[in-house]
Amino acid sequence: MSPLTGIRANAAVHLPLAPPGPRTVAFRTPRPPSPGVSAPALRLVDQDREVGAICRSTVQAAVEVLAGTRPVQQLARRLDERCLAALQHRAALTRRVASGTSPTAGRLHRNPAVRSVRACRVSEDVYEASAVVSDELRVRAVALRLERSRLVWRVTVLEIG
């Protein structure tokens, strides 16, 4: 007998058929655990993985802003005001260079992909991270600092090489 479900492993479970009707959904109410059987422990969210995922998605979005394929306002919730303004300014400069007559004009930041992310905990509410981003022409490094305020992680420093 499985201690979690209370059903023998090879026992067949027969559920009554629901009457025909539009979108009938049946929910099973959880039973309290049997005496002597402990309930499964809830998993806590791994903070390092959460910060790593935030870094990866933020770096990918920032490089897409530089490529001109994403509006900078999509990062307004993740970046603080100074980082957002600096990224917007750099994207404008990049567009100006790309519209010129240089041999690489129009080919800057094509198909960027985040290859790796490393995050290091500085304090309870601060992480510093680095990322490697590659596109068709080159590989670049990105450094960022995340700080938690009001249970939300915000990027306070973003340096794209």
Side-chain angles (χ1 to χ4, degrees):
M1 181 178 306
S2 172
L4 296 178
T5 60
I7 300 174
R8 281 182 276 147
N10 58 359
V13 177
H14 299 284
L15 297 175
L17 294 176
R23 294 187 180 194
T24 303
V25 179
F27 293 101
R28 194 177 111 204
T29 58
R31 293 186 304 188
S34 303
V37 176
S38 63
L42 297 176
R43 284 190 317 172
L44 297 176
V45 176
D46 186 9
Q47 188 170 338
D48 292 339
R49 287 187 186 200
E50 177 187 6
V51 169
I54 290 170
C55 291
R56 179 177 292 276
S57 63
T58 303
V59 168
Q60 179 72 38
V63 176
E64 288 173 0
V65 166
L66 292 180
T69 59
R70 181 186 292 257
V72 73
Q73 292 305 319
Q74 288 185 0
L75 286 171
R77 290 179 54 198
R78 185 63 65 198
L79 301 178
D80 74 344
E81 295 81 23
R82 288 182 306 116
C83 286
L84 191 66
L87 183 63
Q88 191 169 16
H89 180 70
R90 183 167 173 177
L93 291 176
T94 303
R95 281 193 303 274
R96 186 182 302 166
V97 168
S99 66
T101 58
S102 70
T104 60
R107 294 183 58 204
L108 293 174
H109 309 294
R110 286 284 176 106
N111 300 325
V114 178
R115 296 294 177 206
S116 67
V117 174
R118 301 283 186 260
C120 179
R121 184 177 181 175
V122 176
S123 70
E124 185 67 30
D125 294 330
V126 177
Y127 273 82
E128 290 183 350
S130 64
V132 176
V133 179
S134 66
D135 57 23
E136 289 179 358
L137 297 178
R138 65 192 223 187
V139 176
R140 31 176 98 239
V142 179
L144 55 151
R145 180 179 178 99
L146 286 93
E147 296 180 9
R148 183 170 38 195
S149 62
R150 297 189 205 135
L151 301 176
V152 175
W153 289 100
R154 295 193 68 135
V155 175
T156 57
V157 177
L158 178 66
E159 294 291 331
I160 302 174

mmCIF file with all atom_site columns, all heavy atoms in Angstrom, residues 84-110:
data_model
loop_
_atom_site.group_PDB
_atom_site.id
_atom_site.type_symbol
_atom_site.label_atom_id
_atom_site.label_alt_id
_atom_site.label_comp_id
_atom_site.label_asym_id
_atom_site.label_entity_id
_atom_site.label_seq_id
_atom_site.pdbx_PDB_ins_code
_atom_site.Cartn_x
_atom_site.Cartn_y
_atom_site.Cartn_z
_atom_site.occupancy
_atom_site.B_iso_or_equiv
_atom_site.pdbx_formal_charge
_atom_site.auth_seq_id
_atom_site.auth_comp_id
_atom_site.auth_asym_id
_atom_site.auth_atom_id
_atom_site.pdbx_PDB_model_num
ATOM 1   N N   . LEU A 1 84  ? 17.378 51.503 -16.637 1.00 0.00 ? 84  LEU A N   1
ATOM 2   C CA  . LEU A 1 84  ? 16.447 51.581 -17.755 1.00 0.00 ? 84  LEU A CA  1
ATOM 3   C C   . LEU A 1 84  ? 16.825 52.733 -18.687 1.00 0.00 ? 84  LEU A C   1
ATOM 4   O O   . LEU A 1 84  ? 16.854 52.563 -19.914 1.00 0.00 ? 84  LEU A O   1
ATOM 5   C CB  . LEU A 1 84  ? 15.022 51.748 -17.235 1.00 0.00 ? 84  LEU A CB  1
ATOM 6   C CG  . LEU A 1 84  ? 13.912 51.589 -18.259 1.00 0.00 ? 84  LEU A CG  1
ATOM 7   C CD1 . LEU A 1 84  ? 13.864 50.166 -18.768 1.00 0.00 ? 84  LEU A CD1 1
ATOM 8   C CD2 . LEU A 1 84  ? 12.579 51.960 -17.643 1.00 0.00 ? 84  LEU A CD2 1
ATOM 9   N N   . ALA A 1 85  ? 17.153 53.896 -18.117 1.00 0.00 ? 85  ALA A N   1
ATOM 10  C CA  . ALA A 1 85  ? 17.540 55.046 -18.942 1.00 0.00 ? 85  ALA A CA  1
ATOM 11  C C   . ALA A 1 85  ? 18.848 54.777 -19.685 1.00 0.00 ? 85  ALA A C   1
ATOM 12  O O   . ALA A 1 85  ? 18.983 55.121 -20.870 1.00 0.00 ? 85  ALA A O   1
ATOM 13  C CB  . ALA A 1 85  ? 17.667 56.285 -18.069 1.00 0.00 ? 85  ALA A CB  1
ATOM 14  N N   . ALA A 1 86  ? 19.813 54.154 -19.017 1.00 0.00 ? 86  ALA A N   1
ATOM 15  C CA  . ALA A 1 86  ? 21.088 53.848 -19.664 1.00 0.00 ? 86  ALA A CA  1
ATOM 16  C C   . ALA A 1 86  ? 20.904 52.839 -20.793 1.00 0.00 ? 86  ALA A C   1
ATOM 17  O O   . ALA A 1 86  ? 21.513 52.982 -21.866 1.00 0.00 ? 86  ALA A O   1
ATOM 18  C CB  . ALA A 1 86  ? 22.079 53.313 -18.631 1.00 0.00 ? 86  ALA A CB  1
ATOM 19  N N   . LEU A 1 87  ? 20.072 51.830 -20.578 1.00 0.00 ? 87  LEU A N   1
ATOM 20  C CA  . LEU A 1 87  ? 19.811 50.842 -21.625 1.00 0.00 ? 87  LEU A CA  1
ATOM 21  C C   . LEU A 1 87  ? 19.094 51.479 -22.811 1.00 0.00 ? 87  LEU A C   1
ATOM 22  O O   . LEU A 1 87  ? 19.417 51.197 -23.961 1.00 0.00 ? 87  LEU A O   1
ATOM 23  C CB  . LEU A 1 87  ? 18.986 49.681 -21.063 1.00 0.00 ? 87  LEU A CB  1
ATOM 24  C CG  . LEU A 1 87  ? 18.697 48.534 -22.023 1.00 0.00 ? 87  LEU A CG  1
ATOM 25  C CD1 . LEU A 1 87  ? 19.983 47.854 -22.461 1.00 0.00 ? 87  LEU A CD1 1
ATOM 26  C CD2 . LEU A 1 87  ? 17.770 47.526 -21.369 1.00 0.00 ? 87  LEU A CD2 1
ATOM 27  N N   . GLN A 1 88  ? 18.153 52.351 -22.538 1.00 0.00 ? 88  GLN A N   1
ATOM 28  C CA  . GLN A 1 88  ? 17.428 53.036 -23.608 1.00 0.00 ? 88  GLN A CA  1
ATOM 29  C C   . GLN A 1 88  ? 18.386 53.910 -24.423 1.00 0.00 ? 88  GLN A C   1
ATOM 30  O O   . GLN A 1 88  ? 18.328 53.936 -25.650 1.00 0.00 ? 88  GLN A O   1
ATOM 31  C CB  . GLN A 1 88  ? 16.303 53.873 -23.012 1.00 0.00 ? 88  GLN A CB  1
ATOM 32  C CG  . GLN A 1 88  ? 15.339 54.422 -24.016 1.00 0.00 ? 88  GLN A CG  1
ATOM 33  C CD  . GLN A 1 88  ? 14.112 55.009 -23.328 1.00 0.00 ? 88  GLN A CD  1
ATOM 34  O OE1 . GLN A 1 88  ? 14.111 55.259 -22.126 1.00 0.00 ? 88  GLN A OE1 1
ATOM 35  N NE2 . GLN A 1 88  ? 13.063 55.218 -24.094 1.00 0.00 ? 88  GLN A NE2 1
ATOM 36  N N   . HIS A 1 89  ? 19.295 54.614 -23.742 1.00 0.00 ? 89  HIS A N   1
ATOM 37  C CA  . HIS A 1 89  ? 20.273 55.463 -24.423 1.00 0.00 ? 89  HIS A CA  1
ATOM 38  C C   . HIS A 1 89  ? 21.211 54.622 -25.288 1.00 0.00 ? 89  HIS A C   1
ATOM 39  O O   . HIS A 1 89  ? 21.478 54.958 -26.452 1.00 0.00 ? 89  HIS A O   1
ATOM 40  C CB  . HIS A 1 89  ? 21.065 56.263 -23.386 1.00 0.00 ? 89  HIS A CB  1
ATOM 41  C CG  . HIS A 1 89  ? 22.089 57.160 -23.981 1.00 0.00 ? 89  HIS A CG  1
ATOM 42  N ND1 . HIS A 1 89  ? 21.773 58.290 -24.702 1.00 0.00 ? 89  HIS A ND1 1
ATOM 43  C CD2 . HIS A 1 89  ? 23.453 57.088 -23.967 1.00 0.00 ? 89  HIS A CD2 1
ATOM 44  C CE1 . HIS A 1 89  ? 22.882 58.882 -25.112 1.00 0.00 ? 89  HIS A CE1 1
ATOM 45  N NE2 . HIS A 1 89  ? 23.913 58.169 -24.669 1.00 0.00 ? 89  HIS A NE2 1
ATOM 46  N N   . ARG A 1 90  ? 21.698 53.506 -24.744 1.00 0.00 ? 90  ARG A N   1
ATOM 47  C CA  . ARG A 1 90  ? 22.606 52.653 -25.507 1.00 0.00 ? 90  ARG A CA  1
ATOM 48  C C   . ARG A 1 90  ? 21.898 52.029 -26.704 1.00 0.00 ? 90  ARG A C   1
ATOM 49  O O   . ARG A 1 90  ? 22.493 51.884 -27.774 1.00 0.00 ? 90  ARG A O   1
ATOM 50  C CB  . ARG A 1 90  ? 23.182 51.565 -24.609 1.00 0.00 ? 90  ARG A CB  1
ATOM 51  C CG  . ARG A 1 90  ? 24.179 50.711 -25.330 1.00 0.00 ? 90  ARG A CG  1
ATOM 52  C CD  . ARG A 1 90  ? 24.968 49.842 -24.416 1.00 0.00 ? 90  ARG A CD  1
ATOM 53  N NE  . ARG A 1 90  ? 25.789 48.935 -25.184 1.00 0.00 ? 90  ARG A NE  1
ATOM 54  C CZ  . ARG A 1 90  ? 26.634 48.093 -24.664 1.00 0.00 ? 90  ARG A CZ  1
ATOM 55  N NH1 . ARG A 1 90  ? 26.798 48.052 -23.359 1.00 0.00 ? 90  ARG A NH1 1
ATOM 56  N NH2 . ARG A 1 90  ? 27.341 47.286 -25.421 1.00 0.00 ? 90  ARG A NH2 1
ATOM 57  N N   . ALA A 1 91  ? 20.638 51.660 -26.549 1.00 0.00 ? 91  ALA A N   1
ATOM 58  C CA  . ALA A 1 91  ? 19.888 51.103 -27.676 1.00 0.00 ? 91  ALA A CA  1
ATOM 59  C C   . ALA A 1 91  ? 19.731 52.135 -28.785 1.00 0.00 ? 91  ALA A C   1
ATOM 60  O O   . ALA A 1 91  ? 19.837 51.805 -29.974 1.00 0.00 ? 91  ALA A O   1
ATOM 61  C CB  . ALA A 1 91  ? 18.523 50.609 -27.202 1.00 0.00 ? 91  ALA A CB  1
ATOM 62  N N   . ALA A 1 92  ? 19.505 53.395 -28.417 1.00 0.00 ? 92  ALA A N   1
ATOM 63  C CA  . ALA A 1 92  ? 19.396 54.454 -29.425 1.00 0.00 ? 92  ALA A CA  1
ATOM 64  C C   . ALA A 1 92  ? 20.724 54.639 -30.149 1.00 0.00 ? 92  ALA A C   1
ATOM 65  O O   . ALA A 1 92  ? 20.746 54.807 -31.383 1.00 0.00 ? 92  ALA A O   1
ATOM 66  C CB  . ALA A 1 92  ? 18.952 55.753 -28.764 1.00 0.00 ? 92  ALA A CB  1
ATOM 67  N N   . LEU A 1 93  ? 21.843 54.609 -29.421 1.00 0.00 ? 93  LEU A N   1
ATOM 68  C CA  . LEU A 1 93  ? 23.152 54.724 -30.053 1.00 0.00 ? 93  LEU A CA  1
ATOM 69  C C   . LEU A 1 93  ? 23.425 53.539 -30.970 1.00 0.00 ? 93  LEU A C   1
ATOM 70  O O   . LEU A 1 93  ? 23.979 53.700 -32.060 1.00 0.00 ? 93  LEU A O   1
ATOM 71  C CB  . LEU A 1 93  ? 24.244 54.829 -28.981 1.00 0.00 ? 93  LEU A CB  1
ATOM 72  C CG  . LEU A 1 93  ? 24.258 56.117 -28.163 1.00 0.00 ? 93  LEU A CG  1
ATOM 73  C CD1 . LEU A 1 93  ? 25.324 56.025 -27.072 1.00 0.00 ? 93  LEU A CD1 1
ATOM 74  C CD2 . LEU A 1 93  ? 24.477 57.327 -29.039 1.00 0.00 ? 93  LEU A CD2 1
ATOM 75  N N   . THR A 1 94  ? 23.042 52.363 -30.555 1.00 0.00 ? 94  THR A N   1
ATOM 76  C CA  . THR A 1 94  ? 23.245 51.166 -31.365 1.00 0.00 ? 94  THR A CA  1
ATOM 77  C C   . THR A 1 94  ? 22.430 51.245 -32.651 1.00 0.00 ? 94  THR A C   1
ATOM 78  O O   . THR A 1 94  ? 22.915 50.873 -33.726 1.00 0.00 ? 94  THR A O   1
ATOM 79  C CB  . THR A 1 94  ? 22.866 49.903 -30.563 1.00 0.00 ? 94  THR A CB  1
ATOM 80  O OG1 . THR A 1 94  ? 23.643 49.872 -29.378 1.00 0.00 ? 94  THR A OG1 1
ATOM 81  C CG2 . THR A 1 94  ? 23.119 48.651 -31.364 1.00 0.00 ? 94  THR A CG2 1
ATOM 82  N N   . ARG A 1 95  ? 21.208 51.728 -32.553 1.00 0.00 ? 95  ARG A N   1
ATOM 83  C CA  . ARG A 1 95  ? 20.392 51.894 -33.768 1.00 0.00 ? 95  ARG A CA  1
ATOM 84  C C   . ARG A 1 95  ? 21.017 52.912 -34.713 1.00 0.00 ? 95  ARG A C   1
ATOM 85  O O   . ARG A 1 95  ? 20.987 52.739 -35.927 1.00 0.00 ? 95  ARG A O   1
ATOM 86  C CB  . ARG A 1 95  ? 18.972 52.324 -33.396 1.00 0.00 ? 95  ARG A CB  1
ATOM 87  C CG  . ARG A 1 95  ? 18.094 51.190 -32.924 1.00 0.00 ? 95  ARG A CG  1
ATOM 88  C CD  . ARG A 1 95  ? 16.637 51.601 -32.862 1.00 0.00 ? 95  ARG A CD  1
ATOM 89  N NE  . ARG A 1 95  ? 16.401 52.756 -32.006 1.00 0.00 ? 95  ARG A NE  1
ATOM 90  C CZ  . ARG A 1 95  ? 16.195 52.705 -30.682 1.00 0.00 ? 95  ARG A CZ  1
ATOM 91  N NH1 . ARG A 1 95  ? 16.188 51.520 -30.085 1.00 0.00 ? 95  ARG A NH1 1
ATOM 92  N NH2 . ARG A 1 95  ? 15.993 53.783 -29.971 1.00 0.00 ? 95  ARG A NH2 1
ATOM 93  N N   . ARG A 1 96  ? 21.592 53.973 -34.136 1.00 0.00 ? 96  ARG A N   1
ATOM 94  C CA  . ARG A 1 96  ? 22.226 54.993 -34.976 1.00 0.00 ? 96  ARG A CA  1
ATOM 95  C C   . ARG A 1 96  ? 23.420 54.405 -35.722 1.00 0.00 ? 96  ARG A C   1
ATOM 96  O O   . ARG A 1 96  ? 23.609 54.658 -36.907 1.00 0.00 ? 96  ARG A O   1
ATOM 97  C CB  . ARG A 1 96  ? 22.678 56.167 -34.125 1.00 0.00 ? 96  ARG A CB  1
ATOM 98  C CG  . ARG A 1 96  ? 23.212 57.315 -34.978 1.00 0.00 ? 96  ARG A CG  1
ATOM 99  C CD  . ARG A 1 96  ? 23.702 58.461 -34.146 1.00 0.00 ? 96  ARG A CD  1
ATOM 100 N NE  . ARG A 1 96  ? 22.662 58.966 -33.278 1.00 0.00 ? 96  ARG A NE  1
ATOM 101 C CZ  . ARG A 1 96  ? 22.894 59.794 -32.263 1.00 0.00 ? 96  ARG A CZ  1
ATOM 102 N NH1 . ARG A 1 96  ? 24.121 60.190 -31.998 1.00 0.00 ? 96  ARG A NH1 1
ATOM 103 N NH2 . ARG A 1 96  ? 21.905 60.226 -31.501 1.00 0.00 ? 96  ARG A NH2 1
ATOM 104 N N   . VAL A 1 97  ? 24.229 53.595 -35.036 1.00 0.00 ? 97  VAL A N   1
ATOM 105 C CA  . VAL A 1 97  ? 25.373 52.957 -35.683 1.00 0.00 ? 97  VAL A CA  1
ATOM 106 C C   . VAL A 1 97  ? 24.893 51.962 -36.738 1.00 0.00 ? 97  VAL A C   1
ATOM 107 O O   . VAL A 1 97  ? 25.445 51.887 -37.836 1.00 0.00 ? 97  VAL A O   1
ATOM 108 C CB  . VAL A 1 97  ? 26.269 52.251 -34.634 1.00 0.00 ? 97  VAL A CB  1
ATOM 109 C CG1 . VAL A 1 97  ? 27.288 51.352 -35.296 1.00 0.00 ? 97  VAL A CG1 1
ATOM 110 C CG2 . VAL A 1 97  ? 26.953 53.278 -33.759 1.00 0.00 ? 97  VAL A CG2 1
ATOM 111 N N   . ALA A 1 98  ? 23.866 51.199 -36.423 1.00 0.00 ? 98  ALA A N   1
ATOM 112 C CA  . ALA A 1 98  ? 23.367 50.180 -37.347 1.00 0.00 ? 98  ALA A CA  1
ATOM 113 C C   . ALA A 1 98  ? 22.757 50.797 -38.599 1.00 0.00 ? 98  ALA A C   1
ATOM 114 O O   . ALA A 1 98  ? 22.723 50.154 -39.652 1.00 0.00 ? 98  ALA A O   1
ATOM 115 C CB  . ALA A 1 98  ? 22.344 49.300 -36.650 1.00 0.00 ? 98  ALA A CB  1
ATOM 116 N N   . SER A 1 99  ? 22.279 52.029 -38.510 1.00 0.00 ? 99  SER A N   1
ATOM 117 C CA  . SER A 1 99  ? 21.679 52.652 -39.690 1.00 0.00 ? 99  SER A CA  1
ATOM 118 C C   . SER A 1 99  ? 22.738 53.284 -40.579 1.00 0.00 ? 99  SER A C   1
ATOM 119 O O   . SER A 1 99  ? 22.435 53.731 -41.684 1.00 0.00 ? 99  SER A O   1
ATOM 120 C CB  . SER A 1 99  ? 20.662 53.714 -39.261 1.00 0.00 ? 99  SER A CB  1
ATOM 121 O OG  . SER A 1 99  ? 21.339 54.786 -38.608 1.00 0.00 ? 99  SER A OG  1
ATOM 122 N N   . GLY A 1 100 ? 24.004 53.310 -40.148 1.00 0.00 ? 100 GLY A N   1
ATOM 123 C CA  . GLY A 1 100 ? 25.101 53.902 -40.922 1.00 0.00 ? 100 GLY A CA  1
ATOM 124 C C   . GLY A 1 100 ? 25.514 53.016 -42.085 1.00 0.00 ? 100 GLY A C   1
ATOM 125 O O   . GLY A 1 100 ? 24.852 52.032 -42.448 1.00 0.00 ? 100 GLY A O   1
ATOM 126 N N   . THR A 1 101 ? 26.632 53.363 -42.673 1.00 0.00 ? 101 THR A N   1
ATOM 127 C CA  . THR A 1 101 ? 27.104 52.644 -43.857 1.00 0.00 ? 101 THR A CA  1
ATOM 128 C C   . THR A 1 101 ? 28.270 51.727 -43.549 1.00 0.00 ? 101 THR A C   1
ATOM 129 O O   . THR A 1 101 ? 29.008 51.346 -44.442 1.00 0.00 ? 101 THR A O   1
ATOM 130 C CB  . THR A 1 101 ? 27.531 53.662 -44.928 1.00 0.00 ? 101 THR A CB  1
ATOM 131 O OG1 . THR A 1 101 ? 28.544 54.497 -44.375 1.00 0.00 ? 101 THR A OG1 1
ATOM 132 C CG2 . THR A 1 101 ? 26.342 54.477 -45.394 1.00 0.00 ? 101 THR A CG2 1
ATOM 133 N N   . SER A 1 102 ? 28.471 51.365 -42.306 1.00 0.00 ? 102 SER A N   1
ATOM 134 C CA  . SER A 1 102 ? 29.571 50.471 -41.960 1.00 0.00 ? 102 SER A CA  1
ATOM 135 C C   . SER A 1 102 ? 29.274 49.067 -42.480 1.00 0.00 ? 102 SER A C   1
ATOM 136 O O   . SER A 1 102 ? 28.123 48.706 -42.715 1.00 0.00 ? 102 SER A O   1
ATOM 137 C CB  . SER A 1 102 ? 29.789 50.455 -40.444 1.00 0.00 ? 102 SER A CB  1
ATOM 138 O OG  . SER A 1 102 ? 28.726 49.810 -39.814 1.00 0.00 ? 102 SER A OG  1
ATOM 139 N N   . PRO A 1 103 ? 30.321 48.247 -42.676 1.00 0.00 ? 103 PRO A N   1
ATOM 140 C CA  . PRO A 1 103 ? 30.092 46.885 -43.195 1.00 0.00 ? 103 PRO A CA  1
ATOM 141 C C   . PRO A 1 103 ? 29.239 46.020 -42.275 1.00 0.00 ? 103 PRO A C   1
ATOM 142 O O   . PRO A 1 103 ? 28.584 45.091 -42.736 1.00 0.00 ? 103 PRO A O   1
ATOM 143 C CB  . PRO A 1 103 ? 31.499 46.295 -43.333 1.00 0.00 ? 103 PRO A CB  1
ATOM 144 C CG  . PRO A 1 103 ? 32.456 47.332 -42.920 1.00 0.00 ? 103 PRO A CG  1
ATOM 145 C CD  . PRO A 1 103 ? 31.720 48.550 -42.492 1.00 0.00 ? 103 PRO A CD  1
ATOM 146 N N   . THR A 1 104 ? 29.245 46.325 -40.993 1.00 0.00 ? 104 THR A N   1
ATOM 147 C CA  . THR A 1 104 ? 28.446 45.531 -40.056 1.00 0.00 ? 104 THR A CA  1
ATOM 148 C C   . THR A 1 104 ? 27.093 46.171 -39.792 1.00 0.00 ? 104 THR A C   1
ATOM 149 O O   . THR A 1 104 ? 26.361 45.705 -38.920 1.00 0.00 ? 104 THR A O   1
ATOM 150 C CB  . THR A 1 104 ? 29.194 45.346 -38.726 1.00 0.00 ? 104 THR A CB  1
ATOM 151 O OG1 . THR A 1 104 ? 29.437 46.623 -38.163 1.00 0.00 ? 104 THR A OG1 1
ATOM 152 C CG2 . THR A 1 104 ? 30.479 44.577 -38.915 1.00 0.00 ? 104 THR A CG2 1
ATOM 153 N N   . ALA A 1 105 ? 26.741 47.226 -40.505 1.00 0.00 ? 105 ALA A N   1
ATOM 154 C CA  . ALA A 1 105 ? 25.455 47.900 -40.281 1.00 0.00 ? 105 ALA A CA  1
ATOM 155 C C   . ALA A 1 105 ? 24.318 46.923 -40.533 1.00 0.00 ? 105 ALA A C   1
ATOM 156 O O   . ALA A 1 105 ? 24.289 46.211 -41.527 1.00 0.00 ? 105 ALA A O   1
ATOM 157 C CB  . ALA A 1 105 ? 25.320 49.101 -41.208 1.00 0.00 ? 105 ALA A CB  1
ATOM 158 N N   . GLY A 1 106 ? 23.385 46.882 -39.627 1.00 0.00 ? 106 GLY A N   1
ATOM 159 C CA  . GLY A 1 106 ? 22.248 45.975 -39.753 1.00 0.00 ? 106 GLY A CA  1
ATOM 160 C C   . GLY A 1 106 ? 22.530 44.574 -39.265 1.00 0.00 ? 106 GLY A C   1
ATOM 161 O O   . GLY A 1 106 ? 21.646 43.740 -39.230 1.00 0.00 ? 106 GLY A O   1
ATOM 162 N N   . ARG A 1 107 ? 23.798 44.289 -38.922 1.00 0.00 ? 107 ARG A N   1
ATOM 163 C CA  . ARG A 1 107 ? 24.148 42.949 -38.470 1.00 0.00 ? 107 ARG A CA  1
ATOM 164 C C   . ARG A 1 107 ? 24.500 42.918 -36.992 1.00 0.00 ? 107 ARG A C   1
ATOM 165 O O   . ARG A 1 107 ? 24.935 41.895 -36.485 1.00 0.00 ? 107 ARG A O   1
ATOM 166 C CB  . ARG A 1 107 ? 25.339 42.423 -39.280 1.00 0.00 ? 107 ARG A CB  1
ATOM 167 C CG  . ARG A 1 107 ? 25.005 42.214 -40.737 1.00 0.00 ? 107 ARG A CG  1
ATOM 168 C CD  . ARG A 1 107 ? 26.170 41.624 -41.491 1.00 0.00 ? 107 ARG A CD  1
ATOM 169 N NE  . ARG A 1 107 ? 26.567 40.373 -40.888 1.00 0.00 ? 107 ARG A NE  1
ATOM 170 C CZ  . ARG A 1 107 ? 27.783 39.857 -41.009 1.00 0.00 ? 107 ARG A CZ  1
ATOM 171 N NH1 . ARG A 1 107 ? 28.707 40.479 -41.674 1.00 0.00 ? 107 ARG A NH1 1
ATOM 172 N NH2 . ARG A 1 107 ? 28.080 38.707 -40.439 1.00 0.00 ? 107 ARG A NH2 1
ATOM 173 N N   . LEU A 1 108 ? 24.355 44.038 -36.298 1.00 0.00 ? 108 LEU A N   1
ATOM 174 C CA  . LEU A 1 108 ? 24.682 44.069 -34.874 1.00 0.00 ? 108 LEU A CA  1
ATOM 175 C C   . LEU A 1 108 ? 23.644 43.297 -34.075 1.00 0.00 ? 108 LEU A C   1
ATOM 176 O O   . LEU A 1 108 ? 22.453 43.423 -34.318 1.00 0.00 ? 108 LEU A O   1
ATOM 177 C CB  . LEU A 1 108 ? 24.736 45.517 -34.389 1.00 0.00 ? 108 LEU A CB  1
ATOM 178 C CG  . LEU A 1 108 ? 25.857 46.374 -34.959 1.00 0.00 ? 108 LEU A CG  1
ATOM 179 C CD1 . LEU A 1 108 ? 25.686 47.810 -34.498 1.00 0.00 ? 108 LEU A CD1 1
ATOM 180 C CD2 . LEU A 1 108 ? 27.213 45.841 -34.559 1.00 0.00 ? 108 LEU A CD2 1
ATOM 181 N N   . HIS A 1 109 ? 24.093 42.523 -33.126 1.00 0.00 ? 109 HIS A N   1
ATOM 182 C CA  . HIS A 1 109 ? 23.232 41.822 -32.167 1.00 0.00 ? 109 HIS A CA  1
ATOM 183 C C   . HIS A 1 109 ? 22.219 40.910 -32.859 1.00 0.00 ? 109 HIS A C   1
ATOM 184 O O   . HIS A 1 109 ? 21.039 40.926 -32.546 1.00 0.00 ? 109 HIS A O   1
ATOM 185 C CB  . HIS A 1 109 ? 22.490 42.818 -31.265 1.00 0.00 ? 109 HIS A CB  1
ATOM 186 C CG  . HIS A 1 109 ? 23.380 43.815 -30.621 1.00 0.00 ? 109 HIS A CG  1
ATOM 187 N ND1 . HIS A 1 109 ? 24.313 43.468 -29.689 1.00 0.00 ? 109 HIS A ND1 1
ATOM 188 C CD2 . HIS A 1 109 ? 23.480 45.156 -30.776 1.00 0.00 ? 109 HIS A CD2 1
ATOM 189 C CE1 . HIS A 1 109 ? 24.954 44.547 -29.296 1.00 0.00 ? 109 HIS A CE1 1
ATOM 190 N NE2 . HIS A 1 109 ? 24.476 45.583 -29.937 1.00 0.00 ? 109 HIS A NE2 1
ATOM 191 N N   . ARG A 1 110 ? 22.662 40.096 -33.782 1.00 0.00 ? 110 ARG A N   1
ATOM 192 C CA  . ARG A 1 110 ? 21.757 39.161 -34.434 1.00 0.00 ? 110 ARG A CA  1
ATOM 193 C C   . ARG A 1 110 ? 21.664 37.859 -33.657 1.00 0.00 ? 110 ARG A C   1
ATOM 194 O O   . ARG A 1 110 ? 22.673 37.301 -33.269 1.00 0.00 ? 110 ARG A O   1
ATOM 195 C CB  . ARG A 1 110 ? 22.240 38.843 -35.862 1.00 0.00 ? 110 ARG A CB  1
ATOM 196 C CG  . ARG A 1 110 ? 22.030 39.951 -36.842 1.00 0.00 ? 110 ARG A CG  1
ATOM 197 C CD  . ARG A 1 110 ? 20.555 39.998 -37.230 1.00 0.00 ? 110 ARG A CD  1
ATOM 198 N NE  . ARG A 1 110 ? 20.281 41.101 -38.088 1.00 0.00 ? 110 ARG A NE  1
ATOM 199 C CZ  . ARG A 1 110 ? 20.050 40.983 -39.377 1.00 0.00 ? 110 ARG A CZ  1
ATOM 200 N NH1 . ARG A 1 110 ? 20.069 39.811 -39.952 1.00 0.00 ? 110 ARG A NH1 1
ATOM 201 N NH2 . ARG A 1 110 ? 19.789 42.043 -40.090 1.00 0.00 ? 110 ARG A NH2 1
#
